[in-house]
Amino acid sequence: MPETQPAVGTDSIAAAAARLREAAATGIPAAPVRDLIGPDDVQAAYAVQLQLTAERIEAGATVVGRKIGLTSVAVQEQLGVDQPDFGILFDDMEYADGAVVPAGAILQPRVEAEIAFVLKADLAEGPLDDARVREAVDYAVAAIEICGSRVADWDISFGDTVADNASAGGYVLGTQRVSLREFDPVAAEMTMAIDGETVSTGSGAACLGDPVNAVVWLARQARELGAPLRAGQVILSGALGPMRPVTPGNAVQATVTGLGTVSVTFSE
């Protein structure tokens, strides 16, 4: 996360935000923004994300949580980075378990299955370590993240995806809520199917070794940014297996051992 002002000029940050804003408004994916902010300038990329987030809040949207991305070592290596990223979850991004996502609601949708955590306490003060984060978690729940990219053909660098709110689109939470006293995220096994065919498998260990580790990382970054995690917020901790594209008419179901199933369908 940025600790200093980005080296990239404010005009370039504004231009990148405008490009992504236009893509979201028109439903037409845009060219990558790395020509404006660079492919790996962390400060500049988050500056764009912060500007777009502020605009959405000013327009009436409410922040309900965060999503963590790039928790897989393989994906980090692919994009040439050594850390996860995060984006903002807004109130209009949630779909109920079993819901139908309207066509065009999310640009270039792709799905991944993960563990979500809902907080019962703020993570704003004191040491933000494993024990503190576990104490702050109310429950874990199976989740499907619907990633979406405002960048054409998902042609993204690290800078592109961070600027584009970490490619956040929507999310679905299951209905089986389990406390961490009864559930070990590391041992959890995930299977995701599209139209009944298994397309992705994985485990909790694939998410930074432990999905709770991802939340610890996020809690520290969010506090450093000045927007700490709060009670009631939803935290999507990162994919447990490969992300897969979906097309109109697809039905997606994910199962996480210990947390049950969660599903969503995409309208034709």
Side-chain angles (χ1 to χ4, degrees), residues 103-210:
I106 297 173
L107 283 180
Q108 305 180 104
R110 296 182 177 186
V111 292
E112 54 189 29
E114 49 196 271
I115 297 168
F117 300 98
V118 176
L119 302 180
K120 63 183 177 183
D122 294 350
L123 287 169
E125 307 292 341
L128 299 181
D129 54 16
D130 180 89
R132 176 74 186 288
V133 167
R134 288 178 181 274
E135 183 181 349
V137 169
D138 190 7
Y139 58 86
V141 61
I144 295 172
E145 181 180 355
I146 309 167
C147 301
S149 182
R150 273 59 62 177
V151 176
D153 301 320
W154 278 86
D155 179 14
I156 57 172
S157 66
F158 180 74
D160 294 308
T161 187
V162 168
D164 188 26
N165 198 26
S167 303
Y171 67 97
V172 188
L173 301 182
T175 58
Q176 186 172 335
R177 303 174 175 183
V178 183
S179 76
L180 291 182
R181 295 186 301 276
E182 306 168 289
F183 172 69
D184 177 8
V186 177
E189 297 290 333
M190 178 279 294
T191 302
M192 183 174 70
I194 297 178
D195 296 339
E197 179 182 352
T198 298
V199 296
S200 181
T201 59
S203 70
C207 180
L208 292 185
D210 181 343

Side-chain angles (χ1 to χ4, degrees), residues 54-97:
E55 291 173 3
R56 289 207 60 183
I57 292 172
E58 186 176 354
T62 300
V63 174
V64 297
R66 308 286 204 289
K67 63 146 290 183
I68 309 169
L70 304 179
T71 54
S72 159
V73 173
V75 175
Q76 289 182 10
E77 290 177 348
Q78 181 182 12
L79 292 179
V81 298
D82 60 0
Q83 64 174 315
D85 70 350
F86 73 83
I88 307 298
L89 298 179
F90 295 100
D91 53 341
D92 61 355
M93 288 183 173
E94 183 175 3
Y95 293 89
D97 189 11

Side-chain angles (χ1 to χ4, degrees), residues 1-8 13 37-50 70 79-86 157-163 217 221 224-225:
M1 276 304 302
E3 297 179 356
T4 60
Q5 291 297 312
V8 173
I13 289 168
I37 63 170
D40 54 12
D41 187 320
V42 178
Q43 287 76 23
Y46 277 109
V48 175
Q49 185 189 120
L50 286 170
L70 304 179
L79 292 179
V81 298
D82 60 0
Q83 64 174 315
D85 70 350
F86 73 83
S157 66
F158 180 74
D160 294 308
T161 187
V162 168
W217 174 87
Q221 302 306 314
E224 183 178 320
L225 181 63

